[in-house]
Amino acid sequence: MSPPCGRRRTARAAGFLAAAAASCTTADPAGGGDPTELALLRLAAEFGVPRDPAERDAARRRLFPFDAHLKRMSTVDATAAGPAVHTKGAPEMVLECCTRVQGADGGSRPLTAGRRAELGRTLDGYAADGLRVLAVAHRPLAPGEAEPATREDAESGLILLGLIAMVDPPRPGVAEAVRDAHRAGIRIHVITGDYGPTAAAIARQVGIGAAGSRIVGGAEVDRLDDTALDELVAGREEIVFARSSPEAKLRICEALRANGHVVAMTGDGVNDAPALRHADIGVAMGRSGTDVAREAATMVLTDDHFATIVTAVHAGRRVFDNVRKFVLYIFAHAVPEVVPFLVFALSGGAVPLPLTVLQILAIDLGTETLPALALGREPAEPGLMSRPPRPRTSGVIDRRLLLRAWLLLGGVSAVLVMGAYFGTLWWAGWHPGDPTGPGAALHHAYLQATTVTFAGIVACQIGTAFAARADRASLRAVGLRSNPLLLWGIAFELVFTAAVIYVPLLQRVFGTAALGPSHLALIAAFPVVVWGADEIARWVARRSAAEPA
């Protein structure tokens, strides 16, 4: 008969433990709250001792809310046996308030050093399996004893009821998101109030840190001065900061920024607000986060999912790349548009103006607008998440972009366009200084030459648009038809250019003349030459980057 009685005593003790833990909560399943507290309410219901939130709150005499430093909370509640203090929190923080431990028979025994050591071994075993552990304690108030007015009075002489171990499995997709973040050069530190080995075990499950990675407790962080903390986070090792206080979280953020890192900090509580505000990117939880955390953050995750942060990094890199592509495309056309005027000015008028003002307006306001906008919708380039993070000081426009736009794409376009212009005039028998104005024998040839310049710039725009689609990869890797908006923009560009060249009314407005098959055949090669020159340059850059130093 003793085994069944033992099981009944164990079940009663477990139910008493679950009831005490549920009493020391503030969550409401109907209105939400902390997931851990909601789990405790479900646990109590499974043991047949449900705690209705309304009845729980009505029985509450006093509340000492969770303290981020003490890692515990306490309540004074009316029970069937009389008023009692209920406390739950981090095991090591609750144990320091306990003097006795509850037995399965309902009595209590002194909490000796041997029993504390045994509890420590149990706690480490749970932590090694990645379980989160809460300690629950209580203290019945003696008849006539005044209710404790302070936390110190309430959290003294407690009786340990037991430990509650919880599985908090990582969400699906988190491990893959961590791998993507690592591939993108992003280092992930864990800053948590949980027990260190537990946090480290969970972190290893999703690929953060390695076996034997360093665990730094909150007390150790508090002992470090700013210089020592800077040195701690300066390496490439991913660290688990356990039992951390809000102040420690803020100091870690400052140390990372002092080392030149761009810091994204996550948080959901009121105490996380300073770190969220101080980080380069504060990320608050939209579902479980407090209003204060959401207000302090730069970004709010509506699904509270880590993978969403990596998705946001991918989207941010894509937007940044597309802005650069837009700027590259616009800047590259400045050279073939400016060079004709420089040639005219430097020749002292011996070379007639290769491009009219209205033709420039037709390019800037007509042909280049839609392709430029389409580049802003360019899909992500292959290998986008394999690049290291950009330096904090890098901007959209840098030396590399300017050299590529003005020297490579713009320079090749200018050479092609001016070559076609002079070739058209020389084929007609022009020599420097010959008259080309209205009534002159070379006037029609001059109109054709300016039209070739105009059409040549448009053709080079097409080559530049395809080249601008990739910053490092080849066009084949990007895919010729992966951006249909760009193809439609180029189609409009061609139709608009054809109308300017061949419609008589527009010929008179823009000073153009119809081009023959030989002109069109020459211009048709321009996009391939411009794109090909940039494709070769990117191939050389990829090969140089792949070669070992």
Side-chain angles (χ1 to χ4, degrees):
M1 295 297 291
S2 58
C5 291
R7 283 196 293 269
R8 284 198 295 271
R9 286 198 299 268
T10 302
R12 284 198 301 269
F16 190 63
L17 169 66
S23 296
C24 189
T25 60
T26 57
D28 184 348
D34 181 73
T36 298
E37 292 197 343
L38 294 176
L40 294 177
L41 293 174
R42 288 194 297 270
L43 178 66
E46 290 175 3
F47 275 95
V49 284
R51 282 292 182 268
D52 179 73
E55 295 178 0
R56 174 201 63 194
D57 295 344
R60 180 160 297 160
R61 305 286 186 86
R62 190 175 294 274
L63 169 67
F64 302 101
F66 178 79
D67 186 285
H69 296 279
L70 299 176
K71 306 296 181 187
R72 59 181 181 254
M73 71 170 287
S74 297
T75 58
V76 180
D77 305 292
T79 69
V85 176
H86 297 116
T87 300
K88 78 173 192 309
E92 67 273 21
M93 304 305 287
V94 173
L95 282 172
E96 70 180 20
C97 302
C98 296
T99 57
R100 304 183 68 82
V101 60
Q102 187 88 4
D105 58 358
S108 63
R109 302 186 300 274
L111 187 56
T112 62
R115 290 193 177 101
R116 290 181 186 273
E118 183 181 353
L119 286 168
R121 289 191 294 271
T122 302
L123 180 60
D124 289 339
Y126 286 146
D129 294 331
L131 300 177
R132 296 182 61 218
V133 184
L134 284 177
V136 181
H138 83 139
R139 177 168 63 86
L141 299 183
E145 180 182 354
E147 295 178 4
T150 65
R151 180 185 288 271
E152 290 74 15
D153 292 338
E155 296 173 348
S156 62
L158 298 178
I159 302 172
L160 179 67
L161 295 176
L163 304 177
I164 299 177
M166 293 168 285
V167 178
D168 189 9
R171 289 189 180 186
V174 172
E176 292 80 2
V178 170
R179 285 197 294 270
D180 290 341
H182 286 160
R183 194 169 64 250
I186 299 172
R187 189 154 45 108
I188 304 171
H189 296 296
V190 177
I191 307 175
T192 178
D194 287 342
Y195 186 52
T198 300
I202 296 174
R204 285 194 295 272
Q205 291 176 15
V206 297
I208 299 175
S213 59
R214 184 167 185 182
I215 302 173
V216 180
E220 183 178 350
V221 173
D222 293 339
R223 288 194 300 268
L224 296 175
D225 59 22
D226 292 342
T227 302
L229 185 58
D230 291 347
E231 294 175 353
L232 175 65
V233 300
R236 295 299 304 169
E237 180 186 15
E238 292 180 329
I239 303 172
V240 174
F241 294 94
R243 298 302 190 209
S244 297
S245 65
E247 291 80 6
K249 194 169 187 176
L250 180 59
R251 288 189 63 209
I252 294 167
C253 174
E254 292 176 339
L256 288 167
R257 296 192 70 203
N259 278 278
H261 297 293
V262 176
V263 180
M265 183 71 71
T266 63
D268 56 7
V270 173
N271 293 328
D272 293 325
L276 293 175
R277 176 66 70 182
H278 195 74
D280 295 285
I281 305 170
V283 183
M285 303 298 113
R287 291 181 177 178
S288 60
T290 61
D291 292 338
V292 174
R294 288 193 289 267
E295 289 293 329
T298 309
M299 180 172 70
V300 177
L301 300 183
T302 57
D303 58 0
D304 289 8
H305 202 315
F306 175 80
T308 306
I309 299 177
V310 180
T311 302
V313 172
H314 181 276
R317 290 189 174 190
R318 173 175 171 262
V319 169
F320 184 86
D321 272 9
N322 287 352
V323 172
R324 283 176 58 90
K325 292 170 185 177
F326 176 89
V327 173
L328 174 70
Y329 178 77
I330 297 298
F331 277 22
H333 303 150
V335 178
E337 290 179 4
V338 170
V339 166
F341 287 90
L342 291 177
V343 171
F344 169 74
L346 294 175
S347 69
V351 176
L353 190 62
L355 195 65
T356 67
V357 173
L358 287 178
Q359 288 169 357
I360 288 181
L361 291 176
I363 293 170
D364 292 343
L365 302 180
T367 62
E368 78 172 12
T369 303
L370 292 183
L373 294 176
L375 286 173
R377 299 294 301 274
E378 187 70 24
E381 184 176 338
L384 179 69
M385 291 297 286
S386 298
R387 305 176 193 168
R390 298 186 308 275
R392 182 190 296 271
T393 56
S394 67
V396 173
I397 301 173
D398 56 15
R399 180 182 177 184
R400 179 173 172 270
L401 183 144
L402 294 178
L403 289 175
R404 186 183 176 197
W406 290 343
L407 186 62
L408 180 58
L409 295 171
V412 171
S413 299
V415 170
L416 292 174
V417 168
M418 294 308 300
Y421 173 74
F422 283 116
T424 301
L425 288 178
W426 283 330
W427 288 333
W430 170 85
H431 295 88
D434 289 348
T436 57
L442 293 172
H443 182 62
H444 181 71
Y446 169 69
L447 293 179
Q448 281 192 322
T450 59
T451 304
V452 164
T453 304
F454 166 73
I457 291 177
V458 173
C460 290
Q461 281 181 329
I462 297 173
T464 299
F466 283 114
R469 294 189 62 196
D471 186 55
R472 294 173 175 84
S474 65
L475 181 60
R476 180 178 180 181
V478 172
L480 185 65
R481 293 181 294 180
S482 58
N483 187 353
L485 291 177
L486 179 62
L487 300 180
W488 282 109
I490 291 174
F492 169 80
E493 192 173 18
L494 293 174
V495 171
F496 181 83
T497 302
V500 170
I501 294 175
Y502 292 104
V503 174
L505 176 62
L506 295 180
Q507 285 178 341
R508 291 191 293 271
V509 173
F510 291 99
T512 58
L515 300 178
S518 60
H519 296 113
L520 296 179
L522 176 65
I523 294 170
F526 287 5
V528 178
V529 174
V530 173
W531 162 78
D534 189 74
E535 188 80 10
I536 292 172
R538 280 182 277 120
W539 176 80
V540 171
R542 289 196 304 272
R543 185 169 181 178
S544 299
E547 291 178 353

